[in-house]
């Protein structure tokens, strides 16, 4: 563990001295040799440095995508991704990344939350009502009476003037 000890020592020095470029470089050099949980922590530190002191949202987004691929069941990471993508105008990339990973997530509560996020993003950010509806329906497969998913479907049905769907949703409530 000499390399790991040196890594941890340098990491502490760079953090205390606020040498964020050096910290990011150190993490990047060591990532492939780190245990998964340590790698996730390193990626989080890289994202924080790129978002904050290094003021590089483009690189922070790329790193956050890497982090999400490592930890797709971490809702906080998907929130960070959404925030960065919103600032950069690339929410479609986040939607694609989440859609690619959501079915592999074991925890149904996390899947539910991600389907709700997808529904909202498809509806509000990307103006894709059909995809939004499909996401809300997937949320309802997990929790059939989920009020926010039903509200999302109702909003879409009202906007589309689909009275049959509105009645169907009211019956489900």
């Amino acid at each position: 563990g000499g390399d790991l000890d040196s890594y941890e020592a340098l990491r502490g020095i760079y953090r205390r001295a606020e040498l964020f470029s050096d910290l990011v470089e150190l993490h990047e050099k060591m990532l492939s040799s780190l245990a998964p949980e340590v790698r996730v922590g390193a990626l989080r530190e890289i994202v924080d440095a790129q978002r904050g002191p290094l003021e590089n949202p483009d690189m922070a987004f790329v790193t956050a995508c890497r982090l999400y691929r490592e930890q797709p069941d971490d809702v906080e990471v998907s929130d960070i991704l959404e925030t960065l993508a919103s600032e950069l105008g690339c929410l479609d990339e986040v939607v694609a990344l989440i859609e690619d990973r959501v079915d592999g997530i074991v925890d149904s509560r996390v899947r539910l939350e991600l389907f709700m996020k997808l529904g909202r993003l498809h509806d509000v950010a990307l103006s894709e009502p059909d995809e939004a509806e499909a996401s809300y329906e997937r949320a309802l497969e997990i929790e059939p009476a989920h009020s926010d998913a039903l509200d999302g479907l109702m909003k879409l049905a009202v906007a589309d003037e689909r009275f049959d769907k509105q009645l169907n949703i009211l019956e489900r409530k």
Side-chain angles (χ1 to χ4, degrees):
D3 274 357
L4 202 54
D5 293 341
S6 300
Y7 164 72
E8 286 298 335
L10 278 173
R11 185 175 155 250
I13 292 167
Y14 292 159
R15 287 179 67 185
R16 282 189 298 281
E18 297 184 6
L19 297 170
F20 297 107
S21 293
D22 294 331
L23 180 65
V24 167
E25 192 177 326
L26 173 69
H27 283 316
E28 290 289 359
K29 276 186 189 151
M30 293 295 293
L31 274 178
S32 62
S33 61
L34 297 174
E37 63 278 0
V38 180
R39 188 169 49 247
V40 163
L43 285 167
R44 280 180 177 271
E45 262 190 16
I46 294 171
V47 170
D48 290 345
Q50 290 168 331
R51 280 179 82 187
L54 296 178
E55 296 179 3
N56 192 338
D58 292 312
M59 283 309 299
F61 178 72
V62 170
T63 306
C65 287
R66 290 165 59 198
L67 177 56
Y68 185 76
R69 285 186 195 96
E70 294 261 342
Q71 233 180 355
D73 57 348
D74 188 327
V75 175
E76 184 186 340
V77 174
S78 69
D79 290 345
I80 291 168
L81 255 179
E82 181 184 347
T83 300
L84 287 165
S86 183
E87 293 168 6
L88 297 170
C90 57
L91 282 165
D92 55 327
E93 291 181 43
V94 172
V95 166
L97 185 59
I98 293 173
E99 285 177 339
D100 185 52
R101 295 285 198 264
V102 68
D103 288 322
I105 295 171
V106 177
D107 186 334
S108 62
R109 302 300 315 157
V110 173
R111 275 199 330 277
L112 175 67
E113 200 162 329
L114 290 174
F115 283 127
M116 291 303 299
K117 179 188 292 285
L118 288 169
R120 187 175 41 73
L121 289 173
H122 277 302
D123 179 24
V124 178
L126 302 176
S127 300
E128 299 171 340
D130 293 343
E131 290 84 351
E133 182 178 342
S135 296
Y136 289 136
E137 288 291 356
R138 294 287 308 273
L140 291 167
E141 288 171 18
I142 297 167
E143 189 180 308
H146 193 277
S147 63
D148 290 342
L150 290 168
D151 290 346
L153 285 176
M154 181 62 84
K155 179 179 174 269
L156 293 168
V158 168
D160 205 24
E161 296 183 3
R162 292 289 309 273
F163 302 110
D164 56 326
K165 282 188 180 179
Q166 294 172 35
L167 287 173
N168 177 281
I169 294 163
L170 285 174
E171 289 169 5
R172 291 163 80 176
K173 279 192 171 201

